[in-house]
Amino acid sequence: MDHQPRPTVLEVIAQRRTVRRFDPGRPLADDLLRQILHAATRAPSDGNLQPWRFLVVRTESNRRRLRGCAFQHPRVTEAPVIVIALGYHHPHRSHLDAMLERQLALGAITRAEHAEMRARTARAMERRNDLPLWATRATMLAMATLMLAAESLGVGSSLLELFDGGKLREAFGIPDDHTVSGLIALGYPARDVPFPGRFGLGEVCFEEHFGQPWTIDETGPARPLDQARRAE
């Protein structure tokens, strides 16, 4: 039995790297894939509508077909698993009642809250003028959660955003009310990748108003994220 301590969330964030080359000879076990996908479903979403859908591509023939939709990117066939992440535009029409009934059964809401939440959520969704964008935003959160979950289990990942959406829809039967948010390759890296660096907070954060400099000093005591990076 593996008694190694699991890394903390901050350690997982610090350790994760985009895999540039996958080891095609190492398959991904079913149980690990199940855990990774299950963790992705725990991502937050507006109204708990959970609009993400995951189309999992594993067979060699389908990965070759998918590679043809992704401008022949080699990672599509190197990685043993490709997850096509989709954002579903209309979960409020097909899954709202089921979602609320589950919350009611779990004691997360009362019967009175059930009725009020149903009306409010349906009203808010019908007012949205860009459902594909809304669905994509939520799905991207699930994709990030999926990649961090994979890292925590020792599985590498790579986000692929360059693909022919029309060809992909036709090849895999994706309906028009689902937006292809991205592809995630999962597997084991063929080699380690050094940390490529990130901009400091002074470059990406503002204080109180856009353009106003960030003032919190980054040279204070090391946090777990900094310590994990320095240990590499």
Side-chain angles (χ1 to χ4, degrees):
M1 182 180 294
D2 183 8
H3 293 287
Q4 289 291 105
R6 291 291 186 191
T8 67
V9 172
L10 288 179
E11 288 170 340
V12 168
I13 293 171
Q15 294 164 7
R16 194 205 65 78
R17 302 285 179 271
T18 293
V19 177
R20 303 298 180 188
R21 294 294 304 274
F22 286 91
D23 182 350
R26 293 188 65 185
L28 182 58
D30 289 353
D31 184 57
L32 281 177
L33 179 58
R34 178 191 59 78
Q35 290 183 67
I36 291 167
L37 291 168
H38 188 266
T41 67
R42 299 302 182 94
S45 61
D46 186 29
N48 197 27
L49 285 169
Q50 307 159 60
W52 43 76
R53 300 293 184 266
F54 303 117
L55 175 50
V56 182
V57 181
R58 305 178 72 183
T59 67
E60 185 178 352
S61 60
N62 275 337
R63 282 184 289 122
R64 283 200 305 267
R65 189 151 56 106
L66 179 54
R67 179 168 168 164
C69 303
F71 302 101
Q72 299 299 328
H73 201 301
R75 286 177 224 165
V76 176
T77 45
E78 283 181 356
V81 176
I82 304 293
V83 178
I84 304 174
L86 308 171
Y88 175 37
H89 305 173
H90 304 124
H92 57 299
R93 299 177 186 171
S94 59
H95 288 74
L96 177 57
D97 288 331
M99 181 272 292
L100 290 173
E101 285 297 326
R102 179 166 295 181
Q103 290 193 51
L104 186 63
L106 292 171
I109 59 174
T110 65
R111 177 59 69 180
E113 289 172 329
H114 176 289
E116 192 273 334
M117 287 179 65
R118 188 186 190 289
R120 185 178 69 241
T121 302
R123 186 167 57 246
M125 290 300 295
E126 293 301 334
R127 287 174 175 169
R128 294 188 184 277
N129 58 14
D130 196 337
L131 288 176
L133 177 61
W134 170 83
T136 296
R137 285 171 174 165
T139 301
M140 292 298 287
L141 288 174
M143 292 166 68
T145 304
L146 186 154
M147 296 171 75
L148 291 176
E151 181 67 32
S152 75
L153 294 168
V155 177
S157 65
S158 180
L159 174 62
L160 307 176
E161 298 183 273
L162 191 60
F163 49 83
D164 186 319
K167 288 178 66 175
L168 200 150
R169 286 182 182 281
E170 183 178 356
F172 291 92
I174 298 170
D176 290 340
D177 60 355
H178 288 64
T179 296
V180 182
S181 301
L183 314 178
I184 301 176
L186 294 173
Y188 297 96
R191 60 182 179 84
D192 291 333
V193 178
F195 178 58
R198 294 290 190 274
F199 292 118
L201 298 185
E203 186 70 27
V204 300
C205 293
F206 304 109
E207 193 162 338
E208 305 296 343
H209 191 280
F210 189 87
Q212 186 165 308
W214 180 254
T215 60
I216 296 179
D217 187 4
E218 288 193 78
T219 62
R223 300 296 190 266
L225 192 61
D226 304 314
Q227 293 168 342
R229 284 178 176 166
R230 282 207 297 270
E232 295 171 351

